[in-house]
Each structure stands twice: as structure tokens, then as C-alpha cells.
């Protein structure tokens, strides 16, 4: 059985990963490689076989996996696509209801609602590692995938300190920095810097390929880099983008508005300066933030009065938690 | 004096590069490093000094440089930004009117019109190497910049075989493959796979940075790669994009139409499948073309009846000329 009062460092507490694709598989490998007792479940037998052959504890039996999680007080990580979450959370509720639950799904409000609806008495602290490639599946897994990456951890005013520390501990064990944020702020941010870029990559690719094979022959760096994520499996992209539709509609509308203004300025005045200048300033700002070592959050002790708000405020200044 | 009837391999014929930024400077270095008699002009003295210090023949005296070109029957390469071309072509007309002229500017119809207007008796065959980085200036030059890149060479029905071979020879000497195309086809292609991607990169960056510093903190691969070219100097982007405004208006309008359709589908049906699927198919097609060794154009002897059309037809099937 899980014990809600048990709080331990991730290295001494088992982790159960449900779904061994790129993210879940990489996490299982990283944790196991660094001495964490980690085990996982995957529906497809080929992945289970590949993981087991590589020496990892993997099973195709969800019920048995969750029984083990309950017996060992494991932290359960939901790492399936969004579309498979309902069945996973139902199984957790039925078999390992007291276990602390987190996830690695790219949207947070929809997942939180789903968990609340299906497993209202569950202990859940959301998470989202900002890492990935355009490849997917066990063959693409990499224990160093999260090294230096940003890992958002849900930080609301009612988030329990013990549970937060346990989930943040998994992110740290994976080599990531922890970015504390509210779910809605995360989802707006994810729409702006991940989901919307998937749509602009898709449209850039479609317009380029629609012109001619000559065009694709001439394509160089701007097209190659600008369309890379369009190579991600469409069903994974859809699961990610459509689960964040409200925030994505906002960023997509802003994208359209800015492009329409650019088209009008180009047609009427022969100029694209407003958009090009704005894009350049934005890119320089991003490079300044991404290029420097992240500044750590300081002066907050997890569990002290108002710790959640203090974390969020510093994260809003682009700082990270390193424990 | 230049002699129109003189045709020689680029290795035995000097090349004069006007403008020693990223493209012109890299070309000067590459040609000189491989034994071509190459010399160049640049307006800014710092670049001239840096090039000379590195052992290259560079001058800040345009008139003297062009006199040397005329005396040595050099092929002149226009490698300044589009906005500086008028003054360059006027100087060529006045000092080295018989020299074969080419360019490396990213649009071809506007350049051809400009050359025709200013220097109507000049011998001009346009070119455009599809290579670059988001950096600019002499410090960013790299003799291997064109290695394996595609280099479009203007191929119209009235293009002279000798002049075409001379310009194509420079591209080959630089390590590039030659893509024969008409100017208008090139410009449509460049809009689709280079200029439009600069605008989608700019809008992706602007929307992302407009959200919050938290968003930029969370930004990962999709944002980093999708916005890379937004880091290019705005004045260089503007010179490139605004000179191709007709073609760019078409691709930008198609981009907007596809995004509006995606927004409507997301809002009304919760689905982004049409755009994501189209983008994915387009990316796979691009990867198939870009990932394989280019297929060479065969069965055409330059100068034979209809050689230009034969080259263009094969280039439209994504083939390249390797001589």
C-alpha cells in the first residue's frame, strides 16, 4: 500500500512509469541507470520486449504493474499520449489509489481536470519536461534526454509540499531544472512556445512543398530547421495540440493577425519591417534567456507559508528551482 | 579588356567578388583556397583589413578593383545586399563593361531587370547559392559554406552556353551543385522555401516572446529551431524579402489561408488534423529529396539545340547539374 504520509527522496522511493515511448522510456532508463528503483508498463509488446532486453523492468500487464506500485509506495508517472490517459487514471484509481501521481503530458489543465474527475481523492502534482525530438518510441529513448531541460511542476496554492518535492525530485534525478508554475500559465506558455510552433512548422512545410519539387530541391537551412517538428508523428502532434485548444486558439489567432498585418504592409508599402523587427527582438530575448546558465530560485523554503506563490513569482522571471 | 569570346574553366579565369560579407567573403576564400585567381572589393575598411590580414586579395577601392577585373577578363560576382546593387552595376558598366557578370542575390527577376536597365549591353547570368547562416559579415565567412549546397544558375532560352558554363563553373568550384532554372521559377521557389520561412520564424518568435519570460524559459527544440532565422540581421532579411514581394505575397497569403482554416477547424471541431497531416507529408517529401544524394542531370550537352529547356525540365524533377 501507498502511504500518503511517506515522503522520501526519489532515489529511495520507487518510480512507476506508465507508457514507455520517447519520454516515458527515456525517464525509465535515466532513473534506473542512476540507481532509482524504476519499473514501467507499456501496452505494445515490442516495446516491453525491447526494454526488458535492455535490462529494464518493463511489463505489458497494467494491473500487475500497478499492484507493484501500490505495494512499493511508488510514484506513478503517466507517460502515455493524452488520448490514453482516461484508461490509465481509472486503472490507478482502482489498483493504486493512494499512490502519488504525476504526468509528463504537454498540457496541464486538461490533465488536472481529467484526474480530478476520475480519481477525485488521488494525490496528483502535474509535470511537463520540455524535451523531445521529432522521433518517437522506445528506439528513440535516451537517458540524457532531460539533461539541462526545463521541467514544469504544477505549483498551486493548495499543492502539498511533500508531494511537490517528490515530483520535483524526479525531474532533478532526470537531470532537469524545475520550473514551478500554475497549470493555466503553463498551458498558455506551452501554446506560445511549443504548440503554435508546431502549426507554423506545418504550414511552412506545406506551402514549401506545394510550390514544386524544384523548391524542395533548393530548400536550405531556413526550411530545414523551420519545418523540423512537422516530422513528428501526426497523431502525437494532434494529441498534444488539440488537448490545449483554448490557449492554442489564442496564440494561433495572434499569429494570423500578425501575418495579415505583414501581408498588408508588404502589399501596400513594400515593407515587412514590423514583423521582421519584432521577430528579431524576440529571438534575441530568447537567446539571452536560453543561452545563459539558468538563475536559481532563492530564499524560499518549500512548505513555508506562501511558498507556492514565491516559487511562481521567481519562475515568472525565468528562474528555476534546483533544490 | 574582357573578351566575350573567351571561355575558360574558372580555375584559369580570375573571379572578382564585389562585397565580402558572409556569401561573398566565403566565396572569395573558397576560390582562392582552391587555386582560382580571386580578388574582391568591400566598402567597409574593417572587412578589407581582415580579409587582407588573412591573406586574401581585398580592396576598398571599387574603381581599381573593376579596372583589374577588366584587364584580367575576370568574371564579376555581385555579392552585396540588393539595396547596394544599383551602384555596383553602374560601376561595372562604366569600368568593366565587357566582363561576364553574375550575382548571389536571393531574388533573380528584380536583379535581372536592374542589370538590364542599367547595363543593357552587359553579359549577365544570374546565380543564387542556397546557403547561409543567421550570422553575417567577414567573421562568419567559411570556405566550406557552399559544400554540397544547391546553387541556382539562370537558364533561359537566350542564355549563352559559354557564359552559363563559366557561372556554373564558379558554383562547382565552390563545392555546390548547379540547379538550372528560370528566374521567375526560382523566385517562386525561393519565396516558398526561404522567404516565407523567415516570416513564419519571425511570427513564431514574436508570439512566443510576447507571452511571458516564463514561456521563453520553457522554450525547447520546436521554438529554438523554428525561430533560428529570425536571428538574422533585420536589414538583411528585409532586403531579401522585400525584393521578392510579388512571390512572397502569394506564399504569405497561402500561409494565412491555411492557418485560418486550421483555426476554424480547431475552434469548430477541435481538430488540427488537416494542417498537421499536410505539414507532415510535406516534411517527409522534403526529407526524401534532401536526404538522398542528388540525382544528376544526364543526356544534355550545353550548347546543343534546346539545352536550356532540357536542363530546366530535369531540374524541375529535383535533379542537379554536376558538369
Amino acid at each position: 500500500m501507498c502511504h500518503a504520509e511517506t515522503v522520501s527522496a526519489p532515489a529511495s522511493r520507487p518510480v512507476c512509469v506508465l507508457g514507455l515511448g520517447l519520454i516515458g522510456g527515456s525517464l525509465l532508463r535515466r532513473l534506473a541507470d542512476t540507481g532509482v528503483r524504476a519499473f514501467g508498463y507499456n501496452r505494445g509488446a515490442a516495446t516491453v520486449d525491447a526494454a526488458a532486453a535492455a535490462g529494464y523492468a518493463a511489463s505489458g500487464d497494467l494491473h500487475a504493474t500497478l499492484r507493484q506500485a501500490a505495494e512499493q509506495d511508488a510514484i506513478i508517472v503517466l507517460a502515455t499520449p493524452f488520448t490514453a490517459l482516461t484508461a490509465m487514471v481509472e486503472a490507478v484509481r482502482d489498483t493504486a489509489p493512494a499512490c502519488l501521481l504525476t504526468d509528463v503530458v504537454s498540457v496541464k489543465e486538461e490533465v488536472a481536470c481529467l484526474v480530478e474527475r476520475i480519481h477525485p481523492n488521488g494525490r496528483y502534482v502535474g509535470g511537463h519536461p520540455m524535451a523531445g525530438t521529432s522521433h518517437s518510441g522506445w528506439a528513440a529513448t535516451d537517458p540524457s534526454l532531460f539533461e539541462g531541460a526545463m521541467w514544469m511542476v504544477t505549483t498551486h496554492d493548495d499543492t502539498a509540499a511533500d508531494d511537490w518535492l517528490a515530483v520535483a525530485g524526479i525531474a532533478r534525478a532526470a537531470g532537469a531544472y524545475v520550473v514551478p508554475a500554475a497549470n493555466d500559465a503553463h498551458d498558455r506558455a506551452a501554446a506560445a512556445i511549443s504548440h503554435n510552433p508546431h502549426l507554423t512548422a506545418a504550414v511552412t512545410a506545406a506551402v514549401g512543398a506545394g510550390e514544386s519539387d524544384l523548391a524542395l530541391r533548393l530548400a536550405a537551412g531556413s526550411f530545414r530547421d523551420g519545418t523540423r517538428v512537422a516530422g513528428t508523428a501526426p497523431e502525437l502532434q494532434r494529441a498534444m495540440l488539440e488537448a490545449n485548444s483554448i490557449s492554442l486558439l489564442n496564440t494561433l489567432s495572434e499569429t494570423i493577425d500578425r501575418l495579415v498585418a505583414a501581408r498588408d504592409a508588404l502589399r501596400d508599402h513594400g515593407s515587412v519591417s514590423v514583423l521582421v523587427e519584432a521577430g528579431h527582438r524576440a529571438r534575441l530575448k530568447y537567446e539571452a534567456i536560453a543561452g545563459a546558465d539558468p538563475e536559481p530560485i532563492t530564499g524560499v523554503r518549500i512548505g513555508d507559508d506562501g511558498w507556492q506563490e514565491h516559487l511562481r513569482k521567481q519562475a515568472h522571471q525565468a528562474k528555476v528551482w534546483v533544490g
Side-chain angles (χ1 to χ4, degrees), chain A:
Chain A
M1 285 295 294
C2 292
H3 302 284
E5 65 275 18
T6 304
V7 179
S8 48
S12 62
R13 190 166 169 186
V15 175
C16 168
V17 182
L18 303 182
L20 302 178
L22 173 67
I23 302 292
S26 295
L27 181 61
L28 175 70
R29 293 180 63 188
R30 168 70 182 218
L31 293 176
D33 290 359
T34 53
V36 178
R37 282 180 293 152
F39 55 98
Y41 155 82
N42 197 74
R43 194 178 56 173
T47 291
V48 173
D49 292 345
Y56 297 98
S59 164
D61 184 335
L62 178 59
H63 190 66
T65 304
L66 288 174
R67 267 208 318 272
Q68 185 183 348
E71 282 159 11
Q72 298 185 1
D73 188 22
I75 305 167
I76 297 174
V77 181
L78 302 165
T80 65
F82 184 81
T83 41
L85 277 188
T86 297
M88 288 298 127
V89 178
E90 286 172 349
V92 169
R93 175 199 61 200
D94 295 344
T95 304
C99 282
L100 174 59
L101 195 60
T102 186
D103 73 306
V104 292
V105 180
S106 65
V107 292
K108 296 273 66 71
E109 292 226 277
E110 287 274 330
V111 174
C113 288
L114 186 153
V115 172
E116 172 65 28
R117 181 166 49 79
I118 295 174
H119 188 22
N121 297 318
R123 291 155 58 209
Y124 166 69
V125 176
H128 179 210
M130 309 303 294
T133 77
S134 54
H135 302 289
S136 53
W138 176 266
T141 61
D142 174 2
S144 68
L145 184 66
F146 311 105
E147 197 67 58
M150 301 298 145
W151 193 309
M152 177 271 184
V153 176
T154 299
T155 310
H156 289 164
D157 290 347
D158 61 356
T159 300
D162 303 347
D163 293 344
W164 190 92
L165 281 169
V167 170
I170 290 177
R172 292 297 292 150
Y177 297 108
V178 174
V179 179
N183 285 342
D184 59 345
H186 166 273
D187 286 358
R188 286 195 303 272
I193 52 81
S194 172
H195 304 159
N196 197 57
H198 278 76
L199 291 183
T200 53
V203 78
T204 304
V207 170
E211 163 54 30
S212 61
D213 286 5
L214 172 69
L216 290 182
R217 174 82 285 163
L218 291 172
S222 63
F223 189 83
R224 180 193 64 226
D225 292 352
T227 64
R228 183 183 58 80
V229 294
T232 306
E235 59 276 18
L236 294 182
Q237 293 190 66
R238 288 189 59 186
M240 180 169 71
L241 273 57
E242 292 169 1
N244 196 21
S245 60
I246 303 296
S247 290
L248 184 53
L249 275 170
N250 283 330
T251 54
L252 181 52
S253 292
E254 186 189 340
T255 300
I256 292 167
D257 291 348
R258 284 177 180 267
L259 289 176
V260 167
R263 179 184 60 186
D264 293 352
L266 182 59
R267 183 190 59 210
D268 299 340
H269 312 291
S271 170
V272 289
S273 71
V274 172
L275 180 54
V276 165
E277 297 277 357
H280 188 253
R281 281 193 304 274
R283 173 70 190 187
L284 294 190
K285 190 173 178 190
Y286 160 71
E287 288 177 357
I289 288 179
D293 281 337
E295 206 180 325
I297 289 171
T298 53
V300 186
R301 207 167 63 185
I302 311 303
D304 280 1
D305 253 12
W307 64 274
Q308 302 98 332
E309 191 185 353
H310 287 299
L311 287 185
R312 290 197 304 267
K313 275 191 178 164
Q314 294 198 46
H316 253 283
Q317 297 156 3
K319 295 184 183 176
V320 300
W321 185 84
V322 293

